[in-house]
Amino acid sequence: MALWTQTIGYPILTVTEAADGAKLHVRQNRYLSAGEATEEEDQTLWWVPLGIVTSETKSQNSSGVLTTREADFDVSVSAAKWYKLNKDTVGIYRVKYPASAVANLADAISAGQLDINDRIGIIADSASLASSGHSNTSDFLTLLRAYDKETEFVVWQEIVLRIDALQSVWASAPEEVKANLQTLSRKLFSPLVARLGWESTSKSEDSLVSRLRALAIRGAGMSGDKTVVDEANRRFSAFFGGDKSVFTTDTLRTAFAVAVRNGGRDEFEKVKSYYLDAENPVDQKLAALSCLGFTTDPALVDELLEFALSDKVRNQDVHQAIVAISTYGAHRERLWKWYRDSYNQLVTRYRASMNYMGILVRLSIGEFIGDAKADEIAAYFSDKNTSKFQRVIDQSLEKIRSNTAWYEKDKDDVTEWFVQNTL
């Protein structure tokens, strides 16, 4: 137990299959989100319970434990349709499977043969290993398609987190690739909206279903589903026409975001007016403020950035005004310029709470791609007293460099996956 409680990090298990289909070879190394660990960093050997389960033994799992760097385990791979390590995702480690095993797990997910914790764990592992460079993003995309029948909110939460990260890193990809990512997103979310609709059918509806509905509408609407966007706009007009019943607390934020992203000044100004209306609940006002940054209009972004530092936005809410701006790749430079131009004003404003400067810098630079951009940002801060939020700067620069490495490694892999897979 001391290895787990007193050692920083956790392992990645790399699985290979014996040629005779009767054994699995498992190797452990230290997992780093920034890439492969060096020999010096990779000295720890964890005691790892494997929890191996197959299509033939899914009601019980193997008691095998990996205590050395690598070992073989008796698993009848050839007799099973699929196998998985870390049953119920109770162990703290990542698992890298061969491509064939990934495809088999995708089939098992699509067929509803894996429990909820395993479905979460598989997509989380695949996305994390892709972003860290340990596996290919194409494996993640293969798995992602298998979740089109998923019904659980907590699984969709993980999926959205991972899709958002992928689309953010690929924001500078060729238009055709970005369009394909949008199409894939619609393939996942649009059927979910069609099934759940916009309104609950029961007064006793589970709150998680309501949250799933909002998540699905957001996913479909932000990826350009015309039916969803049209319905969001229809309800948006009705809402500002006086019919407040068209949105629930959960769908209001989602619909505002979809309307602003796909609309223009009219939608922007209406959402802004909702934020400014003192009669509205504070949480909904802040939801409205956080949606303004979804606009694709550069002029409106400039107005929003000026508005963020006005007396209409409380000091502690400035991050809400800018949080969505970097989701649109073309506006990241605008946001970073605003931060630089406003730096002295921000330092004066937050002198007594400089940690907030860290929040603002993370939002302003964290989604960039490119080592040259990371160098530029590091140079900008080099002559400034950033001791109160230097850790956030360092983490953001590491994220930029890590995501840059991810994109450079897998940009062709993703392009080729879309060539090989019809959506």
Side-chain angles (χ1 to χ4, degrees):
M1 183 59 72
L3 280 174
W4 292 101
T5 59
Q6 298 176 18
T7 304
I8 297 174
Y10 53 89
I12 170 178
L13 304 188
T14 301
V15 181
T16 53
E17 302 169 5
D20 63 2
K23 292 181 182 294
L24 290 179
H25 183 80
V26 184
R27 177 183 175 86
Q28 65 164 297
N29 297 94
R30 184 183 177 190
Y31 173 76
L32 295 177
S33 61
E36 298 284 349
T38 64
E39 183 177 351
E40 183 179 353
E41 294 169 326
D42 193 19
Q43 296 298 311
T44 302
L45 291 178
W46 282 270
W47 186 91
V48 188
L50 298 180
I52 302 173
V53 63
T54 76
S55 59
E56 307 306 307
T57 64
K58 55 186 177 182
S59 61
Q60 57 185 2
N61 59 281
S62 161
S63 57
V65 177
L66 180 64
T67 58
T68 57
R69 176 65 68 189
E70 51 192 309
D72 291 326
F73 296 87
D74 292 328
V75 179
S76 185
V77 176
S78 59
K81 295 179 179 178
W82 54 265
Y83 63 87
K84 181 189 181 295
L85 277 66
N86 200 9
K87 177 174 168 54
D88 296 327
T89 315
V90 294
I92 305 173
Y93 54 89
R94 300 291 184 192
V95 183
K96 177 183 177 181
Y97 297 97
S100 59
V102 171
N104 291 338
L105 284 171
D107 290 341
I109 291 167
S110 185
Q113 296 173 355
L114 292 172
D115 293 335
I116 182 171
N117 287 342
D118 286 329
R119 300 199 303 274
I120 294 172
I122 287 170
I123 201 68
D125 276 2
S126 180
S128 294
L129 294 177
S131 64
S132 63
H134 290 90
S135 65
N136 294 329
T137 305
S138 55
D139 287 344
F140 168 66
L141 294 173
T142 296
L143 285 168
L144 194 58
R145 291 184 70 181
Y147 286 81
D148 59 346
K149 301 181 185 69
E150 182 57 57
T151 60
E152 296 293 338
F153 171 73
V154 290
V155 181
W156 279 109
Q157 258 190 322
E158 187 68 32
I159 291 171
V160 167
L161 175 69
R162 304 303 180 167
I163 290 178
D164 284 353
L166 176 64
Q167 291 186 325
S168 177
V169 173
W170 260 253
S172 59
E175 291 300 321
E176 182 180 1
V177 176
K178 290 192 290 185
N180 283 332
L181 286 170
Q182 292 283 73
T183 299
L184 177 59
S185 186
R186 289 196 299 273
K187 292 286 187 180
L188 289 167
F189 292 107
S190 296
L192 196 56
V193 177
R195 180 171 65 82
L196 295 175
W198 280 76
E199 299 174 356
S200 65
T201 57
S202 169
K203 292 183 179 180
S204 60
E205 181 181 79
D206 191 312
S207 62
L208 292 182
V209 175
S210 178
R211 293 171 65 185
L212 177 57
R213 176 181 295 108
L215 183 150
I217 293 169
R218 172 190 179 275
M222 288 301 190
S223 58
D225 183 309
K226 187 177 185 305
T227 300
V228 173
V229 171
D230 287 348
E231 181 62 15
N233 287 336
R234 185 190 71 77
R235 289 173 179 263
F236 185 87
S237 297
F239 182 85
F240 283 99
D243 184 2
K244 305 304 181 185
S245 68
V246 294
F247 296 137
T248 64
T249 302
D250 289 322
T251 56
L252 180 138
R253 178 195 293 266
T254 291
F256 278 12
V258 171
V260 171
R261 170 54 58 87
N262 293 280
R265 177 169 292 279
D266 182 60
E267 289 78 12
F268 181 89
E269 293 295 348
K270 284 178 177 174
V271 172
K272 183 179 176 182
S273 71
Y274 187 86
Y275 163 72
L276 292 171
D277 189 341
E279 297 299 317
N280 291 323
V282 173
D283 63 328
Q284 293 185 20
K285 282 162 53 72
L286 292 178
L289 180 63
S290 70
C291 289
L292 293 173
F294 284 112
T295 180
T296 60
D297 186 333
L300 293 179
V301 171
D302 289 341
E303 290 180 23
L304 174 59
L305 291 170
E306 182 178 352
F307 179 72
L309 295 181
S310 73
D311 59 5
K312 302 297 184 182
V313 178
R314 299 180 302 177
N315 287 353
Q316 66 267 35
D317 295 335
V318 171
H319 71 285
Q320 297 278 9
I322 70 171
V323 65
I325 294 177
S326 64
T327 62
Y328 192 66
H331 292 162
R332 291 172 184 171
E333 286 290 350
R334 260 185 165 72
L335 181 57
W336 172 225
K337 182 179 185 301
W338 167 84
Y339 185 90
R340 299 196 310 274
D341 291 347
S342 308
Y343 185 80
N344 291 334
Q345 181 182 353
L346 292 170
V347 168
T348 300
R349 177 180 291 198
Y350 297 109
R351 189 174 302 278
S353 54
M354 289 294 281
N355 287 340
Y356 197 80
M357 289 289 289
I359 296 174
L360 297 180
V361 75
R362 185 179 70 249
L363 294 174
S364 298
I365 69 174
E367 301 306 312
F368 274 122
I369 295 296
D371 289 333
K373 178 57 67 175
D375 292 341
E376 173 198 319
I377 293 168
Y380 173 78
F381 285 112
S382 63
D383 62 350
K384 294 175 174 55
N385 181 5
T386 59
S387 57
K388 298 293 186 181
F389 55 97
Q390 184 61 44
R391 184 177 181 182
V392 177
I393 295 174
D394 292 341
Q395 290 171 338
S396 298
L397 292 174
E398 181 181 352
K399 179 182 177 183
I400 293 171
R401 297 188 191 282
S402 177
N403 282 342
T404 300
W406 177 21
Y407 178 71
E408 291 299 326
K409 171 185 171 293
D410 277 0
K411 59 183 180 182
D412 292 338
D413 175 60
V414 169
T415 299
E416 181 60 24
W417 187 89
F418 282 114
V419 171
Q420 298 296 326
N421 292 269
T422 303
L423 298 178

